[in-house]
Amino acid sequence: MSTNRALEGVGTFLDDRLHGARGIRVFLRKVFPDHWTFLLGEIALYSFIILLLTGTFLTLFFQPSMSTVVYHGSYTNLDGVSMSRAYDSTLNISFDVRGGLLMRQIHHWAADLFMAAIMAHMIRIFFTGAYRKPREVNWLIGIILFTLGLLEGLFGYSLPDDLLSGAGLRILEGVLQSIPIVGTYLAYFLFGGPFPGTDIVPRMYMLHVLLIPGLILALVTAHLFIMVFQKHTQMPGKGRTNTNVVGQPMYPYFMAKTGAFFFFTFGILALAGAFAQINPIWLYGPYNAVAMSAGSQPDFYMGMLEGALRVFPAWQWVVFGHTFAFNVFIPALLPLGALFTGAAFWPFIEQWVTGDKLEHHINDRPRNAPTRTAIGIAVITFYGVLWAEGANDILANHFDISLYLTTEIARIAWIVGPIFAYIITKRICLGLQRKDVHLLEHGVETGIIRQLPNGEFIEETRPVDEEARAILESRPHYQGLPEATGSDEEVPAPGMRGAIGKARERLYHVITESVPLPTNGHADGHGNGHAIEGNGHSVEGNGHAEPAPAAVPSGPGQSGNASDDEPPASDQL
Amino acid sequence: MSDTNAHGQPGEPARGDDLMADLAAAGEPGAGTGRAEGPHAPHRVIGTPAPAEARTMLADEPEGRAAPRELPADPEDPVRAKRAERVVAALFVLAMLAGLGFIAAYVIFQVHTVNNTLHSNLALGITMGIAFLALGAGATIWVRHLMPQIEVSEERHPLASTPEARAAFAETFEEGAEASQFVKRPLIRRTLIAATVPVVVAPIVLLRDLGPLPEKSLDHTVWKKGTRLVVYGTNRPLTPADFNTPGSSLSVIPEGYAENDDALAKAATTLIKFRPGQLQAPTVMNWTVNDIVAYSKICTHLGCPAALYEQTTHHILCPCHQSTFDAARGATVLFGPATRPLPQLPLTTNAQGFLVAQSDYREPVGPSFWERS
Amino acid sequence: MSWITARRRHPAAGYAILLLGLLLVGAVYASVVGGGSAASAAPPAPANQAQITAGRTIFLQDCATCHGFAAQGTNAAPSLIGVGSAAVDFQVSTGRMPLKESDAEAARKPPQLNPAQTHAVAAYIASLGGGPAIPSGAEVNTSGANVGLGQKLFVTNCAQCHNFVGAGGALTYGKYAPPLTKSTPTQIYEAMLTGPEAMPVFNNTTITPDQKRAIIAYVTKTRVQANPGGFSLGRIGPATEGLVAFLGLLLFMVLVALWITAKHGKTSHE
């Protein structure tokens, strides 16, 4: 009782001044839907918090200076070696501060996990269509966070000024230098003169501990606020509509779950810090401009850029006393730039092609958006080919592949791979949709065999249960493109005119291609919007002449079921 | 938050009214839509109730409870819950012990040698990991088995404001714009913009002193006529007799610059000894001494030290991006993204017989840049 | 029925079988894959005629088919005149020679000749045309060596092929710089001195014996050094770290997420 009185006291104190009772109560009762894929973003969030905590510890001991010292510390292999203060202080943290090595390792593992989780989360958002209205702003914030995370990680692992990360900085300088017109100025301004100079580590330090974490923190806060305000999306299911959220309330359920998840994140990172050595800078040695190691790699999230640099052929153009170093600035800027730009524009492109202006709060099952899923897999394949090429010397050495062959394969695979991936993925999605339609029409096998009077054996089926039906029948709702006007529909709508309009129409059919649900009254269509061609199928406006599923010949005992359920085919919107 | 609207403008519908309409449509206020029976959790609808029914944050007053509970008080199976409670408690005790263990490990395990660091790291990391994982596992079991399983739903509201709200906003905005005179007096508007432009540009200007202008510094290295070649790491100068085994390869630097990384980042050089007759055009033979040739070690792709020398193929391979240069033929590019051959350092011997440079490299070393012709 | 048969449909039965299979395969594989080579132990006694004759016999048996009866070389193998006893000792004690299969590069394998035989052949080859000699015990004794200098020299001249600790790296056309984990100090010295296959030569006037000892000290000390951060993940850098991040950390968190959000009490679906 006294705890209640104390809580009452605190609550009254705050409410008297800040007026929170109603608002905070709303927040406490907010419903959060439950699906494991919704926790991927939390992995990133909690990794970030752990980065802040461990990073603060490290800043107490790290010295961001490139002045030279001669080492006489605990790591005797490097005794008498001259090195920068930054490297020296990192050795100090590792070998002369209790818990220092653990904090360094947790920090670096958390950075890796942060980036991996962002990738997984972004992929989940894409494949379930959770970036659609009203969440486009959050999607854009997410892309910015991804970019900031990349930079943050790059600067972070370059701070100790070791051989491996120093080589990475050299590559960064070379990339900057290659940019036409302004390149050499950018490089000299960033490094405070010729490479390596003495300014880069202190400058990266400021960016790494102050500016970029501040930006990330602000954007993450906005990202979460928007998500809470708009309420989370949910997976399709029984009782779940576009106008509700089904799940468990924040207090006490979601709070407890998310708290548990934080502990798990911290716990596994602590175990990783204990058992898995990461970034052993004492083995790399201090940076020296004359040395290089075989198998040098950046951290994995920079791997795609590294692969792009390796795969690109030696193209340059020297004209009027100036060099266009295509071999450098194209692979450095184009693939990742195209990826992020394409990702940023994608929600709006999809809206334009499908004419979709509705709010979407129910996630798509990836199979129900075959073209989107296929495009996503193709992009991931493109990323993956370049990522693998980034480690081509490691792969060549460990799998006994000729070194040049890996690059030659990548030079072809970067375009052939995504094409194949698109085709295969789309076919798989359509196949899965057919499987779903088959289940809806013919039911689930029960394993009960029955003999008919004429001697034939059939297996009995039963219709799918309500919950499964709700999931199988969920489909994205496409509003449809604007209709033509005029007495004979000869005046196309404003957005549909000309070559672009025709292209839009064709793209509409490609993007909305789907195996239609069975037309036996169970389709989940609300009939909102008009398909371009009133082809009598469900609202997806499927322009492809897919044979009506009911016409597919089924097994011997199934014909009875199919004809029982099918009403006469009718034009149904 | 969107739902708080206790101080709404007159004429603007309060949030609660929307909800009242929703709830009225659904039936009695606070009632569930479609309670499922059986072993599944009861299903309720949560909406923001009308202000009159708003409950407070205060402690429960059993006699004052007017509406039915939203959340059940206890889980369904008390026996199972009891078991779960014991497991959760055990996990929390484990977490506490591990946390204490962490503190003890910090005190007990010293560092300062590699092996000690290993033990300290293991002890600290394992205790910390167990502590957090046990906390997480305990919390998870708590939620899953001790809290009553429920499923609730909450109504979504269209995110777009009502047309009346938008209209009111537009009115307020326009009135304010008019009152501010911003639109009606173009002179102050334009001069304001003119005033702010330099303020915005100034921070960019402030960045000018980040570094010196490159000017011609990328075109030269510190190599000069007569600079001796010394072995990097030992600073020993070399005579051709020292470096006389065919197939030898070595990293050399200009004498006196061993501590100057800025200079070495461009001046690092690879020395290679060939058999007679192996060196061919476009290697400049006048720049070699006794079949010893010197190439820049700085890769012309992105500046990594490229010194992976294969004696048998006489290829120089840069390990970064696999640019390959033919050392017997003037370091021409054979494979990979590099576009220019490695510059060759003109060599000769001085009066004492040591290998020295004839001059600086005759072209800029390292990665290409805009001003490089 | 037996205990195992009664549990053949246990939910964990599949996993148990898989685990058993993996362990079995691993054990068989580990037992057939060769181990390290026996080092050339004590430095050889000064060559005498008996040793040279014995060496010649072995040479004619095991080497002459490729290297020619007078070690003059053939299409299949280079001349050995002037390579010196160090080169022979290196190649034979690491098992590279006699060559078993023709590949992009001769691989280290269990040596075919014992140390005495190796030294005999080396003495014979040295008698044909001189060349660098097998280093003495004192020459490869790393006590008192400057490990810091060794690190600097190694990382400048060796790491671009062999990686920063000597874990190995890829060269072109299927060649590779092998890991240095099994090399004895003598073998490392000899390799630097003679430049086997694609490796360049670092003679004693370029990298002096003192400096060679420093490099050997660095390599041998680092490879036995404990990894204070835990498992080394191969000491090849961030590639394996990224693998662990995805397949270890992220996968673990996904499994935890599956657990946290699972609906308990729900039996199997339709």
Side-chain angles (χ1 to χ4, degrees), chain A residues 6-40:
Chain A
L7 281 174
E8 192 183 323
V10 173
T12 314
F13 177 91
L14 290 171
D15 188 63
D16 278 348
R17 292 152 182 75
L18 300 173
H19 188 77
R22 188 161 179 179
I24 295 181
R25 176 163 178 269
V26 165
F27 182 64
L28 293 181
R29 293 166 81 233
K30 220 162 219 340
V31 172
F32 282 84
D34 237 358
H35 194 266
W36 70 269
T37 54
F38 297 167
L39 270 59
L40 294 172

Side-chain angles (χ1 to χ4, degrees), chain A residues 352-533:
Chain A
W352 179 72
V353 168
T354 56
D356 190 9
K357 298 206 189 321
L358 301 173
E359 282 181 18
H360 290 276
H361 299 288
I362 300 259
N363 286 324
D364 286 340
R365 299 170 80 208
R367 68 184 64 182
N368 287 333
T371 306
R372 176 206 299 151
T373 305
I375 290 176
I377 298 283
V379 168
I380 290 174
T381 307
F382 170 73
Y383 186 93
V385 166
L386 290 180
W387 189 3
E389 171 69 4
N392 72 335
D393 49 354
I394 304 270
L395 294 173
N397 194 29
H398 284 265
F399 296 112
D400 281 333
I401 312 171
S402 167
L403 187 61
Y404 294 151
L405 185 62
T406 59
T407 304
E408 280 154 8
I409 291 176
R411 283 177 178 166
I412 301 172
W414 77 269
I415 189 68
V416 165
I419 292 177
F420 270 117
Y422 176 89
I423 296 171
I424 295 172
T425 309
K426 187 140 180 195
R427 292 294 118 199
I428 292 178
C429 286
L430 292 171
L432 286 171
Q433 282 189 316
R434 284 194 196 99
K435 189 183 83 136
D436 287 350
V437 165
H438 182 93
L439 267 180
L440 281 172
E441 292 187 320
H442 302 293
V444 178
E445 295 158 357
T446 54
I448 298 172
I449 313 286
R450 197 154 57 86
Q451 188 173 29
L452 297 177
N454 62 357
E456 184 185 355
F457 284 100
I458 58 162
E459 183 174 12
E460 287 195 1
T461 63
R462 61 166 174 82
V464 297
D465 66 10
E466 290 298 307
E467 286 192 27
R469 178 171 294 277
I471 295 175
L472 290 172
E473 285 180 345
S474 75
R475 285 296 181 90
H477 296 281
Y478 293 114
Q479 222 172 350
L481 291 172
E483 275 201 324
T485 53
S487 50
D488 286 320
E489 297 186 357
E490 77 277 7
V491 181
M496 302 297 302
R497 290 181 191 151
I500 293 197
K502 298 254 177 305
R504 186 179 181 190
E505 192 179 322
R506 271 216 289 276
L507 284 172
Y508 178 89
H509 288 299
V510 171
I511 286 210
T512 58
E513 176 178 355
S514 241
V515 174
L517 287 171
T519 54
N520 54 4
H522 286 292
D524 186 23
H526 288 299
N528 52 349
H530 309 277
I532 276 297
E533 302 155 16

